[in-house]
Amino acid sequence: MLDSSKRVVIVYGTQTGNSEDVSERVGRLVKRMKCHAFVSSLSDFPIARMAEETLIIFVCSTTGNGEFPDGMRNFWKFLLRKNLPRNSLCHLKFCVFGLGDSSYDKFNVVAKKLNKRLMQLGAIELIPLALADDQHELGYDAALDPWMMELRGTLKEYFQLSEDSYMPDDVPLPPKYTVTFTQHDSTDDFHVKGHHSSIATLKTNHRVTAKDHFQAVHLLEFDIDAGIHYDPGDVAVVCPENSVEDVEDFLALLNIPVDGPIVLTASNPEVCVPKKTPCTVRQYATSYFDFKSIPRRSFFEFFHHFSHDETEKEKLLEFTTAAGQEELYDYCNRPRRNILEVLKDFPHTTPHVPFEYLFDMIPSIRPRSFSIASSLSAHPQQFHLLVAVVKYKTRLINPRKGLCSTWVTGLSPGDKIPFSIKRGSISLPQSNAPIIMIGPGTGCAPFRSFSEERSVQNIPDNYLFLGFRNKEKDFLFSETWMELERKVMLRYFTAFSRDQEDKVYVQHRVAQNGPLLWQLINDRQAAVYVAGNAKQMPQGVKEAFLEMFQEDGGLDTDASAQYLQMMENQKRYQVETWA
């Protein structure tokens, strides 16, 4: 029986799978101590509750160029209010676990800022700030394991718990939901958590890279209702579905009726169910269960309980321990083995997993965000998406495929999809000042939107740096750029990295055009935008600008860094990257 007087709130600041997974694992730790755990996203957590709670654990990640994730922005704005007294959170004990990636320039900055601000408002740090690094071979588990051990000891002391108050690890916790099979005759169309309120109809779907190019990239044009608005730099959010073949494969593993309606009931009244109306198991398999994702450690923390085979149980149990993480990494992460394949790998365990536990074991399909590659002014009642198909080989027989990119590029004209629009992390300046855009690969997508919008408004001085492998194979939107240049609305520079012996990238083109760019930035207050893969390009471009400030602007090293920081503060240097 959980003790509701010993209450711990765990909130996560973004809808990414990692932050929710960590939060759920912390929640299970708290429940095993027979304390009451409430897990929620910050976007669903009423800020007024801060005054009532006494112990909150924050799990948060950093997005973009050191930005707070969407679901955390309102909460952060509230914490920054100048009228908040210095002792307004003196009643609160807290700790922060940050999820970050050290390949980004502003590593874990959100967790650092949050931790500092909570203490400024009088909150008392329960255990020191922990910062996980996605670059570590074991991912966030490398930081999470020792942090959770410390948290367990601290909570035991805080709540004055005895040794026998801890629920044994060999006893499964109750499932998140109970499942009832009903006789209801009809079910509604099912979409995960009802995030999407608008419908788009696919007009065209074309591959825009050469057929013999290693990377398939598609341009998809969607028709939308007249009342829907978006601005250049905004993103379209869609929620993919599993393929019919994969759904059938998954359903074949279950020993339950798959086409009869079921109703979920949350075991905790504070927990929301994905869908209140009856849905079938097939609908959940199609639109909810992300069984093509790589299983996390928490998957095995449930899975091993139901094994009836000693050999399988021993292996599954090993995957739940800190000592077994290297072997788990080698089994799952290196070959990118997915949940569906793991379920097949343990045939003496999978049939014994109660269906209701799958909601604890398998994450929900996450909405995906794509930069809109069109201007509404140039394409009324439409939005365009530029999508690179994720497909690659590992040591496993079947190639790995990205769920969303495979789904969306497989759509046919006339197909309808639910979507929503959200603000992107980059946006056009309010003035008619020049803009400098750096967008290699599919990073050029938002800059097609920028360039088209400025052309419609007859605003010149648009400079674009593009990077591709081959001019003849993946020069994306080449006709658009040439047409805009013919109208004297755009000047573009290209770097085709594989068309000559020495590789040339966008940062090299930036460096070669230093005098022009310095004049635009320093004399004409130009804004700079960088979009694309987060791996090495953003840092390379940043270094090119810093060198330009020194060579063409005559600034020393410190002054160059300060100048770039000033541009960032003024929103004149904006970055949108993705892993």
Side-chain angles (χ1 to χ4, degrees):
M1 185 74 177
L2 301 182
D3 188 343
S4 60
S5 67
K6 296 178 173 64
R7 176 181 171 88
V8 181
V9 173
I10 303 107
V11 290
Y12 52 96
T14 178
Q15 293 289 349
T16 63
N18 287 354
S19 59
E20 187 168 357
D21 179 60
V22 170
S23 300
E24 292 286 355
R25 282 173 63 183
V26 174
R28 289 196 288 273
L29 171 70
V30 172
K31 290 174 185 175
R32 287 206 175 275
M33 302 179 81
K34 299 181 181 176
C35 299
H36 181 74
F38 172 61
V39 181
S40 170
S41 68
L42 264 173
S43 57
D44 294 330
F45 182 71
I47 296 176
R49 289 268 294 273
M50 289 279 288
E52 304 170 14
E53 304 295 346
T54 57
L55 202 164
I56 301 181
I57 297 171
F58 296 89
V59 179
C60 54
S61 59
T62 302
T63 61
N65 189 33
E67 301 290 332
F68 279 77
D70 290 344
M72 200 173 174
R73 286 176 184 166
N74 288 337
F75 176 76
W76 182 241
K77 285 179 183 177
F78 174 81
L79 289 187
L80 291 180
R81 284 170 53 179
K82 292 181 180 179
N83 62 348
L84 284 178
R86 286 287 179 179
N87 64 346
S88 56
L89 295 180
C90 63
H91 64 285
L92 181 67
K93 305 286 192 306
F94 80 96
C95 55
V96 176
F97 187 86
L99 289 158
D101 187 324
S102 58
S103 68
Y104 285 78
D105 191 32
K106 296 185 177 179
F107 171 61
N108 254 317
V109 69
V110 167
K112 295 171 185 175
K113 286 182 176 180
L114 175 62
N115 201 77
K116 183 179 178 180
R117 183 56 179 161
L118 291 170
M119 287 194 287
Q120 286 175 345
L121 295 174
I124 300 169
E125 191 179 47
L126 200 64
I127 58 175
L129 168 68
L131 302 176
D133 185 359
D134 217 32
Q135 291 298 310
H136 194 284
E137 187 180 47
L138 300 179
Y140 57 79
D141 272 324
L144 185 61
D145 277 331
W147 182 79
M148 284 185 66
M149 284 185 66
E150 185 176 5
L151 178 64
R152 177 181 170 178
T154 303
L155 291 178
K156 178 184 172 184
E157 184 177 336
Y158 180 77
F159 288 125
Q160 298 180 336
L161 302 175
S162 60
E163 283 296 333
D164 61 0
S165 67
Y166 191 79
M167 191 182 298
D169 289 333
D170 59 354
V171 177
L173 287 167
K176 189 186 303 183
Y177 306 113
T178 57
V179 175
T180 305
F181 288 81
T182 75
Q183 299 302 314
H184 201 283
D185 290 333
S186 63
T187 57
D188 294 343
D189 287 340
F190 179 76
H191 298 294
V192 177
K193 298 181 181 177
H195 281 307
H196 307 87
S197 56
S198 302
I199 298 294
T201 304
L202 183 63
K203 182 181 179 183
T204 62
N205 178 358
H206 296 300
R207 175 169 174 154
V208 290
T209 52
K211 288 186 178 180
D212 62 345
H213 188 56
F214 84 103
Q215 176 76 76
V217 179
H218 287 238
L219 175 63
L220 299 104
E221 301 179 355
F222 290 91
D223 289 327
I224 55 177
D225 291 341
I228 296 172
H229 178 80
Y230 63 86
D231 293 313
D234 284 353
V235 300
V237 182
V238 301
C239 203
E241 294 182 348
N242 291 305
S243 70
V244 173
E245 296 77 16
D246 287 335
V247 168
E248 291 300 330
D249 222 6
F250 175 72
L251 293 177
L253 300 173
L254 308 180
N255 297 318
I256 55 173
V258 298
D259 291 308
I262 61 172
V263 174
L264 298 189
T265 306
S267 55
N268 183 337
E270 294 180 299
V271 174
C272 295
V273 295
K275 188 77 172 174
K276 291 184 178 178
T277 54
C279 295
T280 66
V281 173
R282 185 182 300 277
Q283 285 174 308
Y284 276 108
T286 301
S287 302
Y288 183 81
F289 289 128
D290 193 3
F291 50 73
K292 297 288 283 188
S293 63
I294 299 169
R296 300 183 180 91
R297 182 166 157 186
S298 56
F299 171 89
F300 297 96
E301 289 173 351
F302 281 100
F303 198 24
H304 83 273
H305 286 297
F306 308 109
S307 184
H308 288 203
D309 180 272
E310 285 304 314
T311 303
E312 289 188 1
K313 189 177 187 71
E314 183 180 354
K315 175 56 66 178
L316 292 171
L317 189 58
E318 183 183 3
F319 287 157
T320 70
T321 65
Q325 290 315 290
E326 284 195 34
E327 188 161 351
L328 176 59
Y329 189 88
D330 191 55
Y331 171 65
C332 285
N333 295 73
R334 280 198 176 92
R336 314 299 288 176
R337 184 177 269 107
N338 61 51
I339 289 173
L340 181 56
E341 290 167 329
V342 172
L343 290 172
K344 291 179 179 180
D345 279 353
F346 292 88
H348 301 296
T349 303
T350 297
H352 302 289
V353 178
F355 176 67
E356 56 266 28
Y357 273 97
L358 294 181
F359 290 92
D360 294 271
M361 294 168 59
I362 305 176
S364 61
I365 294 174
R366 298 287 164 188
R368 270 54 163 197
S369 298
F370 292 95
S371 295
I372 296 176
S374 56
S375 159
L376 194 58
S377 302
H379 305 276
Q381 291 184 240
Q382 286 188 5
F383 69 74
H384 301 171
L385 301 182
L386 188 67
V387 181
V389 180
V390 177
K391 185 178 181 180
Y392 56 93
K393 293 281 289 181
T394 69
R395 68 174 187 239
L396 300 178
I397 295 174
N398 294 324
R400 308 293 90 184
K401 296 179 181 180
L403 173 62
C404 189
S405 64
T406 302
W407 168 76
V408 74
T409 57
L411 295 173
S412 300
D415 285 347
K416 299 180 184 295
I417 64 167
F419 77 98
S420 61
I421 301 290
K422 75 174 184 179
R423 185 179 176 184
S425 57
I426 59 176
S427 57
L428 280 170
Q430 297 297 314
S431 68
N432 291 348
I435 60 172
I436 300 163
M437 301 165 282
I438 299 102
T442 54
C444 69
F447 301 139
R448 182 173 182 251
S449 174
F450 279 23
S451 301
E452 287 183 341
E453 181 72 15
R454 300 255 292 191
S455 177
V456 169
Q457 296 180 14
N458 199 31
I459 304 173
D461 296 317
N462 306 301
Y463 300 82
L464 175 61
F465 290 80
L466 299 159
F468 306 106
R469 288 195 169 210
N470 311 104
K471 183 176 182 179
E472 300 302 323
K473 294 187 177 182
D474 65 336
F475 188 5
L476 305 175
F477 295 132
S478 57
E479 293 181 1
T480 298
W481 313 133
M482 286 187 275
E483 175 65 15
L484 290 172
E485 188 174 60
R486 187 186 64 77
K487 293 179 178 178
V488 199
M489 297 306 300
L490 177 72
R491 185 176 174 187
Y492 68 91
F493 308 81
T494 54
F496 298 107
S497 63
R498 305 300 197 274
D499 279 351
Q500 62 286 312
E501 188 174 341
D502 296 327
K503 293 179 182 177
V504 178
Y505 299 112
V506 284
Q507 53 264 42
H508 299 135
R509 295 297 187 225
V510 168
Q512 291 166 3
N513 290 276
L516 167 66
L517 299 181
W518 172 252
Q519 186 266 334
L520 290 170
I521 291 169
N522 194 57
D523 299 346
R524 302 186 59 195
Q525 302 298 295
V528 177
Y529 301 90
V530 183
N533 192 287
K535 229 174 186 179
Q536 295 173 331
M537 179 275 297
Q539 185 60 30
V541 169
K542 183 177 181 178
E543 289 171 359
F545 275 102
L546 289 171
E547 289 177 16
M548 176 210 311
F549 295 163
Q550 295 174 52
E551 293 179 12
D552 300 293
L555 304 179
D556 62 27
T557 303
D558 289 341
S560 295
Q562 292 169 6
Y563 194 95
L564 187 63
Q565 184 62 56
M566 176 269 294
M567 290 184 66
E568 290 181 351
N569 294 341
Q570 294 177 350
K571 299 293 185 184
R572 288 178 52 216
Y573 193 94
Q574 299 183 32
V575 180
E576 181 172 85
T577 58
W578 50 86

